[in-house]
Amino acid sequence: MNNLGVIFKRELGSYFATPLAYIFIVIFLVLSALFTFDLGGFYTAGQADLNAFFSFHSWLYLFLVPALAMRLWAEERKSGTIELLMTLPVSRVDMVLGKFLAAWVFVGIALLLTFPIVITVNYLGNPDNGAIFTGYIGSWLLAGGYLAIGSCMSAATKNQVIAFILSVVVCFIFIAAGIPMVLDFFSTWAPQWLVDAIASFSFQVRFSALSHGVLELRDLLYFLSLMAGWLFATAIVIDLKKAD
Amino acid sequence: MISINSLTKRFGEHVAVDNLSFDVKPGEVLGFLGPNGAGKSTTMKMLTGFLTPDGGSASVCGFDVQSQILQAQQQMGYLPEGAPCYGDMRVKGFLEFIAAIRGFSGAEKHKRVARAVEQVELQSVLGQRIETLSKGFKRRVGLAQAILHDPQVLILDEPTDGLDPNQKHHVRHLIQQLAEGSNKIVVISTHILEEVSAVCSRAVIIGHGRLLADGTPEELEARSRYHQAVTLTLSQSVDAVDTQALQQLPGVLAVESQRDGQQLTVLAKPGEVIFPAVGQLAREQQWQVAELSVERGRLDDVFRGLTSGEAA
C-alpha cells in the first residue's frame, strides 16, 4: 500500500513536469466553457442549474481523456522504463492503481478548476448546489470510466497514437449504447431485456441521472465496477504484453 | 545465492534460453558471456521477474522468482540493458523515487540517495532532467538506482556498453569496489572479454541459450590454444630464424609467424611449459630478440571457439 502512494506521487508529478498538464487543463476549460455557453445555451435556457455544463461532458471526455490515458503504459513500454518499474518490488495492483489514480486525480483537478461556473450560476440565480455537487461527482466518475478503458488500451500497445484511437473507439461504444438511435435499432428486433441491458451499459444513461443530481447506489456501483473491471484487464494485458 | 535450474524461455518457435542451470555463490562476481542473442538478457530478465520462465525455476537468496518475486526483488538491484530511466524526472527526484519504492523515508532516504550519488559521482548533475544527460551519466543514474538499497545481489546487463574508455574504467572500478570483501553477488552480462578478466572471479559462457563453459577466467584462458604460448618479437626478419629448430623443441605444437614477419608465436602442447626451452634456444642461436613473453591464453579465442562451434 505504501508503494501505491509512491507511484501515485511520481505519476502525478510527471504530468506537471511537462507542458502536458497545462495544455490539457487549458483545452478542457476552454472547451467546457464553449460547450456550456454556446452549444448548451446556458444563458438562454434561463435556468439556474448546470445541465448545460454537464450534458456535454461525455463527449468532451471522449477525446480529452484518451489523450491523457494513452501515455500511461505505452510510454513506459516505448522508453523501456517498464522493465525498471516491473523489476522494482512493486505489486501489480500498486502499479496499475497508482497510475490510474494519479490520472484520475489529475482530471479531478481540471474539473475543480471549472469552479467559476458554479460561482456564476450562484450569482445569477438560486441553483440546487447539492445537485451541482452530485453532477461533479458523476462527471468525475465518468472520467474514471474513460480513464480505466484508456489505461487498458495503453497497456496493449507501445504506440500512443494507436492507444488513443483504440480508447476513443471503445469509449464511443460505451456512449453509443445509450443513444436513442442505437437503441431504436436494437428495439426493432431484439427482445426488450437485451435493449435494457445495452442501455444499462451506457455511460450516457448512467451519467445523465447523476448530472441531474440523482445519486443512486447502482449508478455509483456501475462506474466503480466498470473501473475495477478495466483496471483488472489492464493488469492482465501488461503481464501478457510487457516484453513485446 | 542465486540458483538456476533448467530455466527455459521460448519466444514463439525460438528457444531463447534452453534448459540453463547454474548457481552463483555469495562473494562471486560472475561474468555472463555470450554473443548477441545468446540469451543473456533473457536470463537476467527472468531472474529479476520481468519475464516469466516457460520451464524450470530460479531463486534469488532463497526466494523463488515466480512465487515470491517481490521478496526476491527486494534483495536485488538491477540495471536493465540501456539503463532506462524516467527521462522527464530530475536525477535527484528519480533517485528519491527509487529510494521511496525501496522503503526508505525521511533522513534515511536522503542518506541513501546521497551515498549512491557519491559512489557513482553524480553530484554535478543532480538537478538536471535525465533526458538531457549524456550516455555515461544516464548509465551512472541507472547504476545509482541499482545500488541504492545496498542489495545482496546486483544484476547488471551490459553496464559498460557504449561508454568511453574512461567511463568503462570507472564503472569497472565501481563494480570491484562493490564486490570487494563483501558477501554480495554481482552478475554482469557483457560481450567485452577484457572486462571479464578485469573484474570477474568467474565466467559463464552461453550460446543459443545453453551453457557452454563455466570456470574462472584463468581456467577458461587455459582452454585457449594460446595458453602457455611464447611470443618472440624480433628485431630482425623471421626468415633469419630457424623455425625448424623451434618446431623440434619438446612440447612445441606449432609455430606461427605474424605481423610483418617480425613476430613468432610458438604454441605449446596442452599442459606443457615451453618458455625456458624457447628462451634457451634463442640465446644459443643468437637471435636478436626484442621481446619474449608467455601468453596466459586468449579469452576471445576461447569465446569464439565455443560460440561459433570451432575448436578453441
Side-chain angles (χ1 to χ4, degrees), chain A residues 147-205:
Chain A
L147 266 178
I149 291 171
S151 159
C152 187
M153 297 303 135
S154 175
T157 174
K158 255 181 215 186
N159 187 319
Q160 299 197 23
V161 176
I162 293 176
F164 174 78
I165 293 169
L166 284 176
S167 322
V168 171
V169 169
V170 176
C171 292
F172 180 72
I173 291 170
F174 271 83
I175 296 180
I179 300 177
M181 202 171 70
V182 176
L183 291 176
D184 286 348
F185 167 74
F186 280 104
S187 61
T188 55
W189 54 272
Q192 188 57 39
W193 63 265
L194 185 65
V195 179
D196 287 345
I198 293 168
S200 73
F201 265 103
S202 164
F203 281 156
Q204 203 73 331
V205 172

Side-chain angles (χ1 to χ4, degrees), chain A residues 86-128:
Chain A
M86 300 195 76
T87 53
L88 288 169
V90 182
S91 70
R92 284 294 177 284
V93 177
D94 288 349
M95 265 178 230
V96 173
L97 218 53
K99 274 176 171 284
F100 168 77
L101 287 177
W104 201 22
V105 165
F106 176 70
V107 177
I109 292 170
L111 199 55
L112 284 179
L113 288 175
T114 61
F115 70 90
I117 194 133
V118 181
I119 296 172
T120 308
V121 79
N122 271 290
Y123 175 74
L124 293 173
N126 284 313
D128 177 356

Side-chain angles (χ1 to χ4, degrees), chain A residues 17 76 83 86 88 242-243, chain B residues 45 50-51 73 78 86 129:
Chain A
E76 295 254 4
E83 188 172 352
M86 300 195 76
L88 288 169
K242 60 192 173 187
Chain B
K45 283 175 182 165
F50 184 57
L51 290 179
Q73 283 170 338
Y78 176 44
Y86 291 106
R129 272 182 210 276

Side-chain angles (χ1 to χ4, degrees), chain B residues 11-12 20 35 67 135 147 161 169-170 181 187 189 196 241 251 265 308 312:
Chain B
F11 293 114
L20 189 69
S67 58
K135 207 167 178 180
I147 61 174
D161 188 44
H169 177 79
H170 184 253
V187 179
S189 84
V196 178
V241 166
T265 302
S308 62

Side-chain angles (χ1 to χ4, degrees), chain B:
Chain B
M1 177 84 175
I2 298 177
S3 79
I4 297 175
N5 290 308
S6 315
L7 205 61
T8 302
K9 180 74 192 176
R10 287 178 213 95
F11 293 114
E13 288 293 289
H14 174 67
V15 183
V17 175
D18 190 359
N19 228 342
L20 189 69
S21 303
F22 64 87
D23 289 349
V24 191
K25 284 186 263 319
E28 281 186 325
V29 179
L30 182 81
F32 201 38
L33 300 172
N36 290 328
K40 305 184 296 278
S41 291
T42 307
T43 306
M44 290 182 148
K45 283 175 182 165
M46 285 191 280
L47 274 179
T48 51
F50 184 57
L51 290 179
T52 316
D54 290 323
S57 64
S59 70
V60 175
C61 300
F63 298 111
D64 186 86
V65 297
Q66 288 185 74
S67 58
Q68 298 164 298
I69 185 60
L70 287 182
Q71 289 99 314
Q73 283 170 338
Q74 277 160 5
Q75 309 296 323
M76 274 186 280
Y78 176 44
L79 174 73
E81 190 173 358
C85 296
Y86 291 106
D88 57 6
M89 295 184 89
R90 294 175 198 283
V91 173
K92 188 154 183 273
F94 174 70
L95 292 177
E96 281 173 354
F97 162 68
I98 298 288
I101 290 269
R102 293 287 181 190
F104 301 114
S105 57
E108 179 68 10
K109 183 167 91 176
H110 293 292
K111 212 178 85 188
R112 293 275 173 172
V113 171
R115 204 189 53 143
V117 162
E118 200 179 308
Q119 272 178 302
V120 298
E121 292 172 24
L122 280 172
Q123 295 90 337
S124 58
V125 295
L126 271 184
Q128 279 191 42
R129 272 182 210 276
I130 295 175
E131 63 195 358
T132 66
L133 297 179
S134 70
K135 207 167 178 180
F137 270 120
K138 272 186 196 160
R139 194 62 52 93
R140 282 194 236 170
V141 173
L143 268 171
Q145 161 280 122
I147 61 174
L148 195 110
H149 58 302
D150 198 17
Q152 274 307 307
V153 174
L154 193 58
I155 296 185
L156 309 173
D157 197 351
E158 308 211 342
T160 60
D161 188 44
L163 298 185
D164 71 36
N166 292 335
Q167 293 166 335
K168 276 185 192 174
H169 177 79
H170 184 253
V171 169
R172 279 177 207 158
H173 183 68
L174 187 74
I175 293 167
Q176 276 168 324
Q177 259 184 338
L178 289 171
E180 215 162 66
S182 71
N183 259 345
K184 301 213 163 71
I185 291 177
V186 184
V187 179
I188 310 164
S189 84
T190 181
H191 45 241
I192 307 164
L193 295 148
E194 39 168 327
E195 204 156 283
V196 178
S197 311
V199 301
C200 299
S201 62
R202 181 178 159 200
V204 163
I205 301 181
I206 66 167
H208 299 292
R210 278 188 285 262
L211 188 76
L212 296 176
D214 182 357
T216 64
E218 291 75 27
E219 280 165 7
L220 291 180
E221 281 164 356
R223 296 169 69 155
S224 163
R225 60 202 290 258
Y226 291 104
H227 182 57
Q228 283 295 338
V230 176
T231 300
L232 287 144
T233 307
L234 303 165
S235 41
Q236 66 193 109
S237 169
V238 172
D239 304 331
V241 166
D242 182 7
T243 50
Q244 278 302 319
L246 271 174
Q247 282 277 18
Q248 277 152 17
L249 283 175
V252 170
L253 182 73
V255 180
E256 292 175 353
S257 75
Q258 284 149 347
R259 211 211 281 164
D260 313 327
Q262 297 231 319
Q263 200 174 41
L264 281 175
T265 302
V266 188
L267 304 181
K269 286 179 185 162
E272 301 277 352
V273 178
I274 57 168
F275 182 74
V278 173
Q280 199 181 0
L281 186 72
R283 268 197 302 283
E284 283 169 6
Q285 308 245 347
Q286 296 189 326
W287 295 336
Q288 294 165 28
V289 178
E291 201 185 309
L292 187 66
S293 61
V294 188
E295 297 219 19
R296 297 164 58 197
R298 297 178 190 171
L299 208 50
D300 61 341
D301 195 51
V302 179
F303 178 82
R304 262 205 312 277
L306 283 168
T307 54
S308 62
E310 299 158 11

